Amino acid sequence: MVKGLYTAHTGMVNEMKRLDILANNLANADTTAYKKEGTTSRTFADEMSLRIKDSSNMGIPKKLGDITYGVHLGQVYTDYSTGNFKVTDNTTDFAIEGNGFFAVAFTDKQGNTSVKYTRDGAFTVNKEGYLVTKDGDYVLNATGAMNGDPGQNNYIRLDPNAAITVNKLGYVMQNNQIVGTIGMVDVDNYDYLEKYGENLYNLLPGGNRIATDANIEQGTLETSNVNVVNEMVNMITIQRAYEAGQKVITSIDGTLDRAVNNVGKV
């Protein structure tokens, strides 16, 4: 066994996975409120650190340990930093200034309804007068958002023929009266958020909804936080790292060829 072959192989596989994540970021560079993803890698030093601190078999004779063959993909993480704001002057477009999410009643293809969270505030009013997302899912009011209740009594119903004004706290005004409140909530630990599609999120068991002091900006949308220039630079870096792995394999293959066909020839 030539360890260098495995080291180069794991490095190339790692770069392929990084490229997949980067390509997805670039594909969603124009998706409203999309949050880019990144990857971490587990290094040899990390593996040694775990071995040294492992006291589960203290005093018991054991082998030195498995040899790592190279790099391992650590985890895929989401960057929740806020994107730039784009003014649209559309009265049903909203952006969240601060930490928090809109809550929507999402219905899947099987007809099951659950609460999803998003920062995409490109809403509209349907023919029944309900405030909905561009995919037709109902936007929840403050009560539904905080309680995680996707019931119809927590939908926001408006007069489609009257002007809509929303203040920074999310109060919806029509004809000088409050007709509803756009729900906003935050999560105590973003590690319990799971991406669903392009810009929706599930709250996993163990995560808790909390109140947010974020403000709503009407007539504005949050753009993706993907920096296309940085992603292109990272793509070049990944390509070079992948090519370096290829050269290592080619070099070792040539060395083995000479060892077998020349050095080993009698």
Side-chain angles (χ1 to χ4, degrees):
M1 179 190 72
V2 180
K3 182 184 173 185
L5 289 173
Y6 291 90
T7 301
H9 165 74
T10 57
M12 292 169 67
V13 170
N14 185 69
E15 297 306 324
M16 288 173 59
K17 293 178 179 177
R18 289 180 60 200
L19 184 61
D20 289 341
I21 299 298
L22 188 149
N24 186 59
N25 289 338
L26 288 175
N28 287 283
D30 293 327
T31 299
T32 304
Y34 174 81
K35 301 304 177 186
K36 69 179 181 179
E37 295 180 321
T39 58
T40 60
S41 299
R42 293 168 52 194
T43 64
F44 180 72
D46 293 333
E47 295 289 335
M48 286 297 292
S49 173
L50 293 174
R51 287 290 179 184
I52 292 172
K53 295 178 181 179
D54 183 9
S55 59
S56 59
N57 296 317
M58 184 67 69
I60 300 176
K62 59 180 181 179
K63 296 180 180 180
L64 180 62
D66 297 331
I67 298 176
T68 177
Y69 293 125
V71 67
H72 306 276
L73 190 68
Q75 66 176 348
V76 178
Y77 66 88
T78 301
D79 180 359
Y80 290 99
S81 61
T82 305
N84 295 324
F85 284 1
K86 178 178 67 175
V87 177
T88 65
D89 292 327
N90 188 341
T91 57
T92 56
D93 283 345
F94 306 98
I96 298 178
E97 185 180 5
N99 295 327
F101 301 87
F102 299 113
V104 299
F106 175 82
T107 303
D108 60 23
K109 294 180 179 179
Q110 288 71 39
N112 302 314
T113 301
S114 60
V115 178
K116 305 292 184 191
Y117 302 90
T118 183
R119 287 181 65 91
D120 183 357
F123 302 146
T124 186
V125 178
N126 66 12
K127 59 183 180 181
E128 287 85 18
Y130 290 106
L131 189 65
V132 297
T133 68
K134 58 187 177 183
D135 295 322
D137 298 312
Y138 295 95
V139 180
L140 298 178
N141 59 22
T143 302
M146 184 55 68
N147 296 336
D149 182 4
Q152 185 175 354
N153 57 319
N154 291 318
Y155 298 169
I156 301 172
R157 193 165 193 176
L158 308 174
D159 180 359
N161 299 317
I164 301 171
T165 302
V166 179
N167 67 10
K168 291 184 177 295
L169 298 179
Y171 291 107
V172 184
M173 305 284 295
Q174 285 189 309
N175 299 319
N176 297 321
Q177 292 184 340
I178 298 177
V179 295
T181 307
I182 297 177
M184 288 188 300
V185 293
D186 202 5
V187 178
D188 60 350
N189 188 341
Y190 283 16
D191 288 338
Y192 288 95
L193 285 177
E194 176 188 52
K195 268 196 172 181
Y196 186 92
E198 296 175 348
N199 52 12
L200 292 176
Y201 300 90
N202 281 320
L203 182 60
L204 299 176
N208 299 304
R209 293 176 293 273
I210 58 176
T212 177
D213 57 359
N215 295 323
I216 286 183
E217 293 290 337
Q218 186 179 16
T220 306
L221 289 177
E222 179 185 352
T223 62
S224 161
N225 66 352
V226 175
N227 186 313
V228 176
V229 175
N230 287 344
E231 296 299 299
M232 294 300 293
V233 171
N234 291 336
M235 182 179 290
I236 295 173
T237 302
I238 291 173
Q239 181 181 1
R240 290 176 176 173
Y242 188 88
E243 290 174 350
Q246 287 180 310
K247 290 179 180 178
V248 169
I249 290 178
T250 301
S251 176
I252 294 176
D253 181 66
T255 301
L256 292 175
D257 178 67
R258 288 193 294 271
V260 173
N261 296 314
N262 296 330
V263 178
K265 182 183 292 185
V266 178

